[in-house]
Amino acid sequence: MHLTFLVPPCYDHHQPAERSAGCTRVVYPMPNIYELTVAGSLRDGQGHDVRYADFVFEGKTIDDFNKFIETDASDAYLIWTVNLSLESDLQAIRDIRKYKEKTPVILMGPGATYYAHKCLVDPNIYVVRGEPDETVVRLVAALENAAPLDGMEGVSFLKDGRICNNPPRPLLTDLDALPFAARDLIAGHTYHNPKLKTGPYTTMFTSRNCPFRCIYCVPSSLSFAREIEYGKTHDGRKPPIGFRSTGSVEREVAMLHAQGYRAIGFMDDNFIWNEERTRELCGIMKRYGMVWGCEARVDAITEPIAKMLGESGCRYIDLGVESFDEAILEYIKKGIKPDDIYRAVKLLKKYGVPVKLNILIGSSPLETPETVKYTLRQAKKLGVDQIMFNIVSPFPGTKFYAICKENGWLKDGEYKPTDVQRESILELPGISSGQMEKLLFRNNISFFLRPSYVLRQLWRFRSWSEFKASFKALKIKLFG
């Protein structure tokens, strides 16, 4: 079959949704490694003719999209959708239907997984829920052979005007069996990560999901789809962690190095699990001379791990700290204390590992303007390289959504997709949505426009193009 993965243009006239992390709008573009892995399964494993048309990255318009669809001859379209892109993607499907009334459209990702009922607006739309890799391959084969979909695990579809939600598909147990992401489909697309300040850059994953119990958490878009689907039949529990072997990781890093990549951002929800695995992964990155970054918990940082990171080219580590208020950390079940944050940052700075703190405003009804200001003061004292300030969005499927819904804290009575780097949909007992939005803006200005911060960052850039990409990302972060 001729299959085209689509990233439609944004129809809502906002900054487009970022589909890998899944909860923000694009600050700097990243390759969607999850979608490209599915593309690899269809092409390399099944022999389909696969293309990738990214109208966002290429700056194409809605008119360009319509002209493409009108003349295109694909047998099916596939779209990875997240909450922030869902309504825009549904509008794109309406445009597809102007020219291709019966061409199958397959939707994947957390937006489709949670809102399957909203997606199934005609009998030629199919929703792949949860972990998509195996399900998409089976679905495409069934469509190619006009086979019935009854009983096909992980698929939702319309039959005789009625929504059929087939049972969930069991999680993959062997991630090493997946093909490497089909990055050649985006050849010619150059990506920049402002935290790495060098390139060529791409993303990778070595594991799927995180076992911790933070009530607000929306992990990567793949993991969130995984969690939503798994929780339906497991009393809301999180799915088990899936790991690739370090041998599989090394084979992919070696391939990327041979292709000319020099920087990797790991998309694992939690990269650091123990010293043994971290030592092996750091050794791989050091052998191939890659610069890289990852996400981790502060309580995972030991002195040996900090030393490994520093010696192996780790140029950033994202630490989810959310708040420096101990009562808030306890309420959100973060499982850490402020002292854990101070200790981890001190160790990482000792070994020259740049630190980015992720801070979440409004994650607890205990939040007040004073707790937000206190958190900013403490973060500044630590002298970290970057801070990302977000406002919590109570995503359906999280425990925090249920709490907010029960207590009437949702501003309009219900969740709506929102840009967590700019907007609030919550009215909490101690802080209003307007106060959260003002504090977010002030925190960003206070941190990123300090002369000391600007000067410290400037000397790290290795090229003019990297500087321009970082400046553009900062402008979007501050002003949209």
Side-chain angles (χ1 to χ4, degrees), residues 56 118 126 173 225 256 264 316-317 336 382 430-431 442 469 476:
V56 170
K118 292 184 67 172
Y126 304 90
T173 57
L256 294 175
I264 296 174
Y316 74 82
I317 185 164
I336 62 172
L382 287 174
I431 190 168
R442 290 173 183 171
I476 292 171

Side-chain angles (χ1 to χ4, degrees), residues 75-96:
D75 296 312
Y77 297 108
L78 300 94
I79 301 174
W80 186 280
T81 188
V82 297
N83 288 20
L84 272 175
S85 73
L86 181 61
E87 293 300 328
S88 183
D89 292 340
L90 292 176
Q91 182 59 57
I93 292 172
R94 286 191 281 272
D95 277 357
I96 291 172

